Amino acid sequence: MRLLKVATCNLNQWAMDYDCNMNNIKESIARAKEAGAVIRLGPELEITGYGCEDHFLELDTVNHAWECLKELLVGDWTDGILCSFGMPVIKGSERYNCQIICMNRKIIMIRPKMWLANDGNYRELRWFTAWKQRDQLVDFQLPNEISETLSQESVPFGYGYIQFLDTAVAAEICEELFTPSPPHAELALNGVEVFMNASGSHHQLRKLDIRLRAFIDATHTRGGVYMYSNHQGCDGGRLYYDGCASVVVNGDVIAQGSQFSLKDVEVVIAQIDLEAVASLRGSISSFQEQASCKTRVPFVEARYNLCQSFNLKMCLSSPLKIKYHSPEEEIAFGPACWLWDYLRRSGASGFLLPLSGGADSSSVAAIVGCMCQLVVKEIANGDEQIKADAIRIGQYKNGQYPTDSNEFAKRVFYTVFMGSENSSEATKSRAKVLADEIGAWHLDVPIDGVVSALLSLFQTVTGKRPKYKVDGGSNSENLGLQNIQARIRMVLAFMFASLLPWVHNKPGFYLVLGSSNVDEALRGYLTKYDCSAADINPIGSISKQDLRAFLRWAATHLSYASLADIEAAPPTAELEPIRSNYSQLDEVDMGMTYEELSVYGRMRKIFRCGPMSMFKNLCYRWGAKLTPGEVAEKVKHFFKYYSINRHKMTVLTPSYHAESYSPEDNRFDLRQFVYNARWPYQFRKIDHLVRELGGDRVHLGDSSDQDKLVDAPHGAGGMGVVAAGSGNPNVGL
């Protein structure tokens, strides 16, 4: 037998905080050694943090990484254990994303990444060069200070593997696993038995299965040990890295770490018999045949044994059932962990949420409540780091610390119901009941006086006072009156966030939380600079449908029973007067349902459909209930208002990334924000096809408003033409 004990880990790194990162790295090595592991794998770019972005262009970032590596090699950290560390390296004039593979205070090999992540949220080609020489390892001259300290002038650099006396080990870095021809395929044919994948992979709803299937497939038909390490937490941006460090052997998951956790360090241990790998490979005829004519991969010799012989004291890890979270659990735990990292690292004293009693803001409140529950749970489990952070943020004195999530919420969470004459008693009551269930410090703040003062000022200047549409006013008056309420709430939210701590003799400030969902952002159904314009937004890329499912789940599993009533209520902005014959509803305002919005969003982004392609696809999808003409009008209605409101994405509150059709303009969904909202060529092609299909043309809404284009006073700074109604209010307060 060749018994091998390995350790992989989830680390909560922070971009550019070398002290934090080094402490986590050292802690993970110490735990791996304590468990008797001989291989320790850390995440991609773990020394600097993955999310440094343009800081990678600074020489300081690379130099500090070498200084930290030197500290690890000078000490006894790598004695008797193979360690793979992630950091940027400059070779010649190129910068590479590398794994530095070390053992016994020496660098054995530097493995640069060959296939870079350069889509979605990732821009690695902006900072790094892909390594392209696959046929040889080259000499890399170590920096002078490193060379003198280690008495090692150079190290092999490039694509290859390490041949130990009793096994072969290789690195495969993150994105390389998901390429059409992944390196592990030919490495396995060259005899590599242990693959180390250092990754920086973010959470997205329903994504984990894709990742785990890739590990399983990598070893199912080829045999091998696949180790996976990942970041876990918010390292300074919109992404939450969702851990799930794993070890897979011959297609079976034998070790799996947590996906969502507040811990800074989690080490996953597995014990393997490598003879199982050799046995499987020897039993597959096609593997034998392909290995006999393989392309040879260069390697480095390391005169060490990693394995033990037969030893009854070393129990082998067995296949286990993979742990998957439901989407509702993902919505609860992912954003909750992200909020905790943001709170403890931002220097803030807590959160303030404009709570309307609607589904979206109530979802945010429930997520903050979940965060408080997780903090108290981990403190009870003995996590001293979380305890120290909670004591500091919650301003506990005399040895006290959080033991009850509601009491902790009272210290770190303000909710504010900013009602107007258009708000119902039902939403006001729901907001209060939910705040009490969570434990938040709740305020009821009427805004009618502020709105009236502004209208009086407007009347003094212009001589006119606007009226709502139900009272005989025009569309412009109606929209302007709604936007006043929405924007006043933003101003008041930030005022309370900065001054309430002072009122209660607390230091610091509170972060304002936004609560607009991904579907509203896609449609532009939010007022620019209303209370959707917050510091951060934990639900900004989660769909309305998923949020409603989450509310039903949270009512039971988080013990916030009032969420069931909130979920059952029809979505409404409550920005217009309620009359016996009229009540404002989101889906009526938008001219489309939230279910339809999810379909449009996925087709636009995930399946890359323009108007014509979307029309054709939806004719198949909706053809049983809609004529081609009706489908055409729905598609044109969506694209018109999507393009009219695209400018709002440039100021969208930074949001937790959870959905693959997010319209977030900062880095994920890069498109122009000044469109010809008539789409004349595309819509003309659709109309032509409808006539060929014999479909009747159906108009949606007020035809006089459909083609009326005006300069929006709060639009794209006079840079483009937008439509009346481009200030559509947010669904919540």
Side-chain angles (χ1 to χ4, degrees):
M1 301 184 80
R2 290 181 292 144
L3 304 181
L4 182 70
K5 184 176 283 190
V6 301
T8 183
C9 53
N10 298 327
L11 298 185
N12 192 337
Q13 306 299 79
W14 190 3
M16 306 299 293
D17 189 334
Y18 296 93
D19 289 337
C20 164
N21 298 344
M22 285 291 285
N23 288 338
N24 291 345
I25 291 169
K26 290 176 179 178
E27 176 67 19
S28 70
I29 297 173
R31 292 191 197 177
K33 283 187 170 184
E34 184 179 359
V38 293
I39 299 178
R40 176 270 178 196
L41 173 65
E44 182 179 15
L45 296 167
E46 62 181 317
I47 291 178
T48 59
Y50 183 84
C52 296
E53 300 191 328
D54 279 3
H55 284 294
F56 283 126
L57 303 178
E58 300 167 5
L59 291 179
D60 277 2
T61 304
V62 179
N63 293 337
H64 293 330
W66 278 113
E67 291 162 0
C68 292
L69 181 66
K70 174 186 170 183
E71 182 179 335
L72 292 168
L73 292 172
V74 168
D76 62 358
W77 299 103
T78 63
D79 288 358
I81 186 169
L82 182 71
C83 291
S84 181
F85 303 116
M87 60 177 268
V89 173
I90 292 178
K91 184 182 186 303
S93 58
E94 305 98 45
R95 185 183 296 100
Y96 295 99
N97 175 350
C98 295
Q99 287 301 119
I100 316 295
I101 305 175
C102 310
M103 188 173 186
N104 294 333
R105 311 191 188 203
K106 298 289 184 183
I107 302 175
I108 298 176
M109 176 183 176
I110 299 179
R111 164 68 155 83
K113 193 171 183 179
M114 297 186 296
W115 308 112
L116 301 178
N118 204 56
D119 50 20
N121 286 292
Y122 299 100
R123 297 288 181 274
E124 288 185 11
L125 276 171
R126 180 180 175 97
W127 312 299
F128 300 110
T129 300
W131 181 253
K132 302 175 181 67
Q133 300 180 40
R134 296 172 60 93
D135 58 343
Q136 63 176 338
L137 292 167
V138 300
D139 275 343
F140 175 79
Q141 298 298 313
L142 293 171
N144 288 336
E145 188 175 350
I146 302 294
S147 176
E148 292 171 3
T149 302
L150 303 182
S151 299
Q152 182 180 2
E153 292 185 358
S154 64
V155 61
F157 185 103
Y159 169 59
Y161 63 93
I162 303 172
Q163 181 65 60
F164 289 89
L165 295 174
D166 48 7
T167 188
V169 179
E172 183 171 67
I173 308 172
C174 197
E175 178 73 11
E176 295 174 349
L177 167 65
F178 302 98
T179 57
S181 180
H184 69 255
E186 67 176 359
L187 287 168
L189 296 176
N190 277 265
V192 173
E193 294 178 310
V194 181
F195 304 94
M196 303 184 298
N197 188 308
S199 187
S201 184
H202 70 280
H203 171 240
Q204 194 166 284
L205 293 178
R206 306 172 180 88
K207 171 187 170 186
L208 181 60
D209 181 63
I210 297 173
R211 189 192 302 162
L212 284 171
R213 286 293 148 196
F215 309 153
I216 292 168
D217 293 345
T219 60
H220 178 70
T221 57
R222 307 177 182 91
V225 177
Y226 206 94
M227 300 171 60
Y228 173 80
S229 178
N230 194 17
H231 294 266
Q232 186 172 57
C234 167
D235 75 344
R238 291 163 172 80
L239 303 184
Y240 175 81
Y241 300 96
D242 60 335
C244 203
S246 307
V247 180
V248 179
V249 177
N250 294 348
D252 290 320
V253 177
I254 64 168
Q256 180 185 357
S258 67
Q259 188 176 11
F260 307 108
S261 173
L262 301 183
K263 296 180 182 296
D264 284 342
V265 178
E266 182 179 357
V267 177
V268 177
I269 305 295
Q271 301 176 126
I272 306 136
D273 177 13
L274 287 180
E275 290 301 319
V277 176
S279 176
L280 176 63
R281 290 177 174 178
S283 69
I284 302 173
S285 176
S286 59
F287 185 93
Q288 299 285 302
E289 291 299 316
Q290 290 189 357
S292 69
C293 58
K294 61 184 173 289
T295 300
R296 295 197 174 274
V297 176
F299 63 89
V300 177
E301 288 189 350
R303 309 295 293 177
Y304 304 115
N305 286 301
L306 294 180
C307 303
Q308 299 180 36
S309 57
F310 179 70
N311 180 359
L312 285 178
K313 293 182 180 179
M314 186 173 173
C315 299
L316 298 180
S317 301
S318 302
L320 51 80
K321 182 178 180 181
I322 300 173
K323 169 64 176 175
Y324 290 111
H325 290 280
S326 68
E328 293 80 12
E329 290 174 320
E330 292 184 270
I331 292 171
F333 301 139
C337 294
W338 183 77
L339 283 177
W340 176 246
D341 278 344
Y342 203 102
L343 176 60
R344 69 192 182 107
R345 289 172 172 172
S346 67
S349 301
F351 298 116
L352 183 140
L353 171 68
L355 181 59
S356 71
D360 294 330
S361 61
S362 297
S363 295
V364 174
I367 289 168
V368 176
C370 179
M371 181 201 79
C372 295
Q373 293 182 17
L374 291 175
V375 168
V376 170
K377 179 181 177 181
E378 290 302 328
I379 292 174
N381 290 337
D383 193 299
E384 292 299 322
Q385 180 60 59
I386 295 173
K387 182 178 179 180
D389 287 331
I391 290 173
R392 173 179 54 84
I393 294 168
Q395 296 296 306
Y396 288 89
K397 307 292 183 183
N398 303 320
Q400 293 182 318
Y401 57 88
T403 57
D404 177 79
S405 63
N406 285 55
E407 186 275 334
F408 184 56
K410 181 72 74 174
R411 291 173 176 262
V412 302
F413 190 30
Y414 286 121
T415 55
V416 186
F417 180 83
M418 291 183 275
S420 73
E421 61 183 357
N422 302 319
S423 302
S424 67
E425 285 298 320
T427 54
K428 178 180 178 179
S429 174
R430 286 196 291 263
K432 177 67 166 65
V433 171
L434 177 60
D436 289 343
E437 288 178 337
I438 294 169
W441 189 297
H442 186 69
L443 297 173
D444 181 6
V445 180
I447 66 170
D448 289 327
V450 184
V451 173
S452 179
L454 286 173
L455 291 177
S456 296
L457 173 63
F458 181 84
Q459 186 174 11
T460 299
V461 173
T462 66
K464 291 188 175 183
R465 193 176 185 94
K467 293 186 294 185
Y468 288 101
K469 193 170 184 178
V470 294
D471 296 327
S474 65
N475 285 333
S476 295
E477 293 172 77
N478 195 63
L479 181 61
L481 287 170
Q482 293 183 70
N483 286 344
I484 289 172
Q485 298 168 69
R487 292 198 176 99
I488 282 300
R489 286 167 175 150
M490 179 200 72
V491 175
L492 290 175
F494 277 98
M495 183 181 74
F496 282 118
S498 60
L499 291 179
L500 279 178
W502 165 72
V503 171
H504 293 139
N505 296 314
K506 295 181 179 180
F509 61 97
Y510 276 52
L511 294 164
V512 178
L513 296 179
S515 59
S516 58
N517 63 59
V518 70
D519 295 327
E520 291 167 352
L522 177 68
R523 164 63 170 75
Y525 188 64
L526 56 106
T527 301
K528 202 173 186 179
Y529 307 119
D530 74 345
C531 63
S532 64
D535 289 310
I536 51 175
N537 181 358
I539 66 165
S541 70
I542 302 176
S543 73
K544 188 76 165 188
Q545 290 176 294
D546 281 338
L547 286 174
R548 301 195 76 148
F550 163 71
L551 289 174
R552 294 191 292 271
W553 175 89
T556 301
H557 293 85
L558 297 181
S559 299
Y560 303 144
S562 64
L563 292 176
D565 291 335
I566 291 170
E567 187 277 330
T572 173
E574 291 196 333
L575 293 170
E576 295 183 72
I578 299 172
R579 298 287 188 265
S580 59
N581 62 346
Y582 177 77
S583 181
Q584 185 179 22
L585 296 174
D586 287 357
E587 293 182 333
V588 175
D589 274 358
M590 294 190 298
M592 60 192 74
T593 67
Y594 281 109
E595 182 180 2
E596 289 171 342
L597 261 174
S598 288
V599 173
Y600 298 144
R602 287 182 167 86
M603 287 195 168
R604 180 198 70 96
K605 178 67 178 176
I606 301 174
F607 299 104
R608 298 164 294 278
C609 288
M612 190 67 169
S613 296
M614 188 181 293
F615 166 70
K616 291 178 179 177
N617 277 279
L618 289 179
C619 279
Y620 286 110
R621 183 166 184 156
W622 293 343
K625 58 181 181 179
L626 297 175
T627 67
E630 291 170 329
V631 173
E633 290 305 319
K634 283 182 175 291
V635 170
K636 289 190 285 184
H637 187 69
F638 164 72
F639 271 101
K640 175 181 177 178
Y641 282 96
Y642 155 75
S643 57
I644 284 171
N645 291 307
R646 180 66 192 184
H647 63 94
K648 298 178 184 179
M649 298 305 96
T650 64
V651 296
L652 201 66
T653 295
S655 302
Y656 178 98
H657 179 88
E659 183 57 78
S660 55
Y661 70 89
S662 169
E664 186 265 308
D665 184 72
N666 181 268
R667 69 199 64 199
F668 183 71
D669 186 40
L670 305 182
R671 301 167 194 250
Q672 73 270 34
F673 56 86
V674 180
Y675 283 85
N676 184 338
R678 296 184 181 92
W679 297 79
Y681 183 87
Q682 295 92 330
F683 288 2
R684 190 166 65 248
K685 299 288 286 186
I686 290 175
D687 289 341
H688 178 72
L689 186 54
V690 168
R691 286 193 294 272
E692 287 185 350
L693 296 171
D696 296 324
R697 181 167 180 163
V698 179
H699 291 279
L700 295 177
D702 182 359
S703 60
S704 64
D705 185 55
Q706 291 295 303
D707 297 320
K708 182 180 179 183
L709 295 173
V710 298
D711 290 325
H714 57 277
M719 292 175 62
V721 178
V722 295
S726 66
N728 284 335
N730 185 12
V731 65
L733 293 181

